[in-house]
Amino acid sequence: MKHQNEGARAHGYTPGRPPQFVMPARHDPYRADNKPQGEQVCPDCGLVNRRGRWMRAQATPQAHSVACPACRRIADKLPAGILTIEGAYAFEKREDVLATARNVAEKVQSEHPLERIMSIETFDGRLVISTTDVHLVQAIGRALHGAFGGSLHYGFQEGDYQLRLNWAA
Ligand SMILES: [Zn+2]
């Protein structure tokens, strides 16, 4: 799967993008045009879709079984956001770094249940965090930058609707 193992230095990486850069959620193909007439329930995580909004709720017996956008991305192994973390300081502090990232994800997910960390992996001394949503990966990148300093850069692959961040410290 080409999306998983490439670092942020792969094609599409644009150093120096301002951190205010935000992609609108309407471009996410996993979320496009899903305003069902009836109710849907995700068989994997149990979220319920009512009028296009996925939420934690009790599904009615009439609800159709449809995987939510987050579970579809997880099944497809196609993250919306990829944060590559590198640098000696970041690696030395990796326990704190990962705890910070998980804290941010927990907070964000409590309000936005489709925004989740998909995986955390280590490649050659670099940590790679992938997420189901472009906003979550930005929130994690900003939190790490704020807590530990270093430098944060953005890259965006339009064709894939994928936001890549690189944080180095
Ligand atoms: Zn789901």
Side-chain angles (χ1 to χ4, degrees):
M1 200 67 180
K2 73 185 171 104
H3 301 283
Q4 272 195 308
N5 296 332
E6 289 174 359
R9 289 183 195 288
H11 60 286
Y13 176 63
T14 312
R17 211 70 99 100
Q20 292 77 15
F21 177 65
V22 175
M23 281 189 296
R26 63 191 155 87
H27 288 154
D28 187 344
Y30 280 76
R31 294 206 193 188
D33 298 328
N34 187 12
K35 288 213 168 36
Q37 297 292 347
E39 191 175 272
Q40 298 178 334
V41 59
C42 176
D44 298 320
C45 70
L47 289 184
V48 171
N49 184 2
R50 289 185 184 139
R51 291 181 291 281
R53 201 174 125 82
W54 289 91
M55 60 186 84
R56 286 185 200 86
Q58 188 66 44
T60 61
Q62 294 82 21
H64 299 282
S65 178
V66 174
C68 77
C71 290
R72 279 165 52 212
R73 279 195 178 277
I74 291 165
D76 292 350
K77 296 186 168 59
L78 189 61
I82 297 176
L83 171 64
T84 304
I85 297 170
E86 54 194 354
Y89 178 69
F91 199 72
E92 180 193 319
K93 291 270 181 192
R94 61 190 178 281
E95 296 304 321
D96 295 336
V97 165
L98 290 179
T100 302
R102 289 195 180 100
N103 264 338
V104 171
E106 212 169 285
K107 258 183 228 161
V108 169
Q109 194 182 341
S110 71
E111 281 183 45
H112 306 282
L114 293 177
E115 304 190 15
R116 303 173 202 168
I117 287 180
M118 279 174 62
S119 65
I120 298 176
E121 292 167 284
T122 309
F123 298 108
D124 299 331
R126 296 192 302 177
L127 296 166
V128 181
I129 299 177
S130 64
T131 66
T132 59
D133 187 277
V134 294
H135 300 104
L136 175 57
V137 80
Q138 292 175 86
I140 293 171
R142 285 201 199 105
L144 295 178
H145 187 227
F148 302 98
S151 60
L152 182 65
H153 293 296
Y154 282 54
F156 171 38
Q157 281 186 290
E158 188 139 21
D160 292 339
Y161 185 82
Q162 193 167 69
L163 181 64
R164 288 164 179 269
L165 268 68
N166 176 273
W167 175 63

